[in-house]
Amino acid sequence: MNAVRYTLRQLEYFVAVAETGTITTAAERCHVSAPGLSLALSELEKALSVQLFTRRRAKGAVLTTAGQAVLAHARTVLVEADELQESASMEGGQLSGSLTVGCYTTLAPFVIPRLLTGFTAAHPRVDLSFEESSQPVLERDLISGSLELAVMYGHDLHPQLGFRPISALPPYVLLPIGHPMSRKRKVSLRALCEEPLILFDVSPSTENFQRTIGKLGIEPRIGFRTESFELVRCLVARGVGYGVLFQHPKTDVTYDGERLVSRPVLEDLPVTEIGVAYLASRRLTQRALSFRDFAAAEFTDDGVGYPV
């Protein structure tokens, strides 16, 4: 057997540069100096006898064709090395190591507290952390390998991703106190279509709403667009318009102290699945598998958010 001339640390730095696109950002991620990382990268290229990156001042570090091929192998080696360490530590009966889970921004308040405290209590030796972002960014990070798991919506997922559902959310209507329809048990979206809609305009929530409303064959009148979940609620409570959301806070009091009314949608519309996404071709660590199963079990009974 030939002696291995590279180190796992060098592979870690290489993958970090490939995923971030710059040596400076990769060095920050790996908590090492940029010159030190650059030297390790050069030593790795020398050990492998191949150029991994084309370094350009304006474009950062761009993978060569050979670098792209090495990247897939490097990720496999790092996962297997991690699994070896994890397997050895599990001889003591407990999972250990680090796990970073992505989470769609507006889902975060509904899922992170329960998953963080519950999973950590069950597996205290796992260093669990979360990164909040939009769904497109989460999908990108899952495919690149910088994230192993992400809690997100299940529709329109990239074909390379797998998905384990943990909950399903029906749409509901938000109305100001005193609205003529606020006393109804359920509210028709058709009946509201001429009133101004406060649209929560963040992907994939926008597309999810358009798909939902499209099934009714109506065109809502957009009053305001906002990327803030809570601003939708505040504007509705002030009588500016109505809203349609999926996640439901436990309280109907807004940040500025106003009250509003939440009602189920009268029309028969599909629910939206929420779950844990992952790269289907990637072999998940035991930590990730355990987290995915824990998340599914945690929300089985009452789901994400609160019923209307």
Side-chain angles (χ1 to χ4, degrees), residues 225-243:
R225 298 173 181 265
T226 174
E227 296 182 359
S228 168
F229 180 88
E230 184 59 24
L231 184 54
V232 172
R233 303 176 77 246
C234 290
L235 289 176
V236 170
R238 293 282 181 172
V240 177
Y242 72 100

Side-chain angles (χ1 to χ4, degrees), residues 11-207:
L11 292 183
E12 180 186 344
Y13 293 167
F14 163 60
V15 171
V17 175
E19 291 177 352
T20 62
T22 70
I23 289 177
T24 301
T25 307
E28 293 174 354
R29 173 168 142 180
C30 296
H31 305 291
V32 65
S33 69
L37 187 145
S38 182
L39 176 61
L41 203 58
S42 297
E43 291 174 345
L44 178 61
E45 290 179 321
K46 182 178 179 181
L48 298 178
S49 301
V50 67
Q51 183 179 353
L52 300 172
F53 293 99
T54 300
R55 296 172 175 82
R56 300 172 182 171
R57 183 177 299 274
K59 297 184 178 180
V62 181
L63 280 168
T64 62
T65 301
Q68 292 173 353
V70 172
L71 179 61
H73 291 293
R75 283 176 172 152
T76 299
V77 170
L78 290 173
V79 168
E80 291 181 347
D82 186 67
E83 288 179 344
L84 173 61
Q85 181 171 312
E86 186 177 49
S87 176
S89 67
M90 283 187 65
E91 294 299 321
Q94 286 190 329
L95 292 173
S96 63
S98 299
L99 177 64
T100 300
V101 178
C103 187
Y104 179 56
T105 303
T106 59
L107 289 175
F110 299 92
V111 301
I112 288 181
R114 288 177 64 174
L115 293 179
L116 179 62
T117 56
F119 187 80
T120 301
H123 304 285
R125 294 178 59 186
V126 174
D127 181 15
L128 178 64
S129 61
F130 288 88
E131 291 184 3
E132 300 173 57
S133 195
S134 66
Q135 186 131 330
V137 171
L138 293 176
E139 291 193 8
R140 181 202 66 193
D141 290 347
L142 288 170
I143 293 170
S144 72
S146 60
L147 282 178
E148 208 173 353
L149 302 173
V151 181
M152 57 203 297
Y153 286 114
H155 56 261
D156 294 337
L157 283 182
H158 193 282
Q160 289 183 252
L161 299 181
F163 187 75
R164 173 77 178 273
I166 64 174
S167 185
L169 301 178
Y172 70 95
V173 178
L174 283 174
L175 297 170
I177 297 291
H179 189 281
M181 297 187 191
S182 64
R183 295 183 179 275
K184 294 181 178 292
R185 190 174 64 87
K186 293 185 176 182
V187 174
S188 169
L189 290 180
R190 284 193 178 91
L192 286 170
C193 68
E194 296 302 321
E195 298 188 26
L197 168 69
I198 313 302
L199 179 65
F200 180 49
D201 197 9
V202 176
S203 180
S205 294
T206 306
E207 295 83 356

Side-chain angles (χ1 to χ4, degrees), residues 265-288:
V265 175
L266 176 65
E267 290 83 5
D268 185 19
L269 295 173
V271 298
T272 295
E273 281 192 327
I274 291 170
V276 180
Y278 50 92
L279 185 62
S281 61
R282 179 176 182 174
R283 185 168 60 189
L284 297 178
T285 62
Q286 188 59 48
R287 293 187 298 274

